[in-house]
């Protein structure tokens, strides 16, 4: 019996295999000034998501805390956290432990960075005193996608292909 003949469980969720960097610019969802994300997997079962984050020069991903672990892999360009000395370069792997707080910026001499992030749980946005000023979770990411895809003509349901 070959692998293709082994029966899978009934009701199993469909797999995903897609071009991570989309040909259609509209797939990128605006997040902040000069910051976009491209949803890859919006996981409503575990409560987390995988996406590409794209930040162009002068873009800043606002200070936030991760209550759960994050891993990332830099695909293009480079970036740094204001709170750390190191710079994540193209090809770098990054692990962000639960409790980590940081603010992502792109160096002035780097026109664009794209990084794959696998984010568990949520992102808790903080002001300069550490007080919560907002949050994102898989449900708010889905809503952002729905609103954007409706606005750009792909249709709100375009996001459904990334939801599990
Ligand atoms: Fe982060």
């Amino acid at each position: 019996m070959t692998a293709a003949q082994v029966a899978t469980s009934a009701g199993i969720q469909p797999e995903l295999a897609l071009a991570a960097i989309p040909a259609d610019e509209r797939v990128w969802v605006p997040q902040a000034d000069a910051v976009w994300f491209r949803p890859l997997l919006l996981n409503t079962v575990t409560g987390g998501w995988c996406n590409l984050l794209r930040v162009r020069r002068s873009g800043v991903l606002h200070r936030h805390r991760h209550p759960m672990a994050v891993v990332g892999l830099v695909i293009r360009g480079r970036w740094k956290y204001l709170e750390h000395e190191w710079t994540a370069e193209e090809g770098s792997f990054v692990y962000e432990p639960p409790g980590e707080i940081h603010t992502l910026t792109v160096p002035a001499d780097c026109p664009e960075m794209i990084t794959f992030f696998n984010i568990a749980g949520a992102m808790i946005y903080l002001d300069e005193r550490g007080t919560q000023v907002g949050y994102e979770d898989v449900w708010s990411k889905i809503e952002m996608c729905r609103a954007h895809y409706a606005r750009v003509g792909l249709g709100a349901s375009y996001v459904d292909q990334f939801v599990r």
Side-chain angles (χ1 to χ4, degrees):
M1 184 179 257
T2 66
Q5 293 172 302
V6 175
T8 54
S9 301
I12 194 168
Q13 293 283 307
E15 76 286 2
L16 280 168
L18 45 89
I21 296 179
D24 188 339
E25 173 63 24
R26 297 176 300 170
V27 177
W28 291 98
V29 180
Q31 161 108 26
D33 207 24
V35 180
W36 299 259
F37 72 95
R38 184 275 199 261
L40 294 166
L41 168 64
L42 298 158
N43 194 327
T44 65
V45 178
T46 61
W49 65 100
C50 295
N51 65 13
L52 297 184
L53 183 72
R54 183 177 73 185
V55 182
R56 292 190 171 147
R57 196 162 26 212
S58 84
V60 175
L61 188 63
H62 193 84
R63 178 188 301 106
H64 58 274
R65 176 186 177 102
H66 293 284
M68 295 177 73
V70 174
V71 293
L73 181 67
V74 183
I75 292 173
R76 181 182 298 168
R78 61 188 196 283
W79 52 267
K80 73 181 306 301
Y81 289 133
L82 296 182
E83 295 80 359
H84 293 297
E85 291 302 311
W86 50 266
T87 298
E89 309 277 352
E90 190 169 306
S92 290
F93 169 79
V94 175
Y95 167 65
E96 305 175 359
E100 164 78 9
I101 296 173
H102 48 227
T103 311
L104 188 153
T105 64
V106 171
D109 60 350
C110 179
E112 176 182 272
M113 80 79 164
I114 294 177
T115 299
F116 169 82
F117 281 114
N118 181 353
I119 299 155
M123 293 172 63
I124 310 295
Y125 290 94
L126 306 174
D127 67 12
E128 63 283 350
R129 304 169 72 98
T131 302
Q132 180 174 339
V133 293
Y135 76 93
E136 290 187 311
D137 64 8
V138 66
W139 299 108
S140 68
K141 298 306 275 190
I142 291 171
E143 281 311 308
M144 286 174 75
C145 292
R146 279 198 202 293
H148 170 71
Y149 293 146
R151 196 161 47 237
V152 298
L154 290 170
S157 64
Y158 186 82
V159 71
D160 293 347
Q161 63 188 297
F162 312 121
V163 177
R164 295 291 185 272

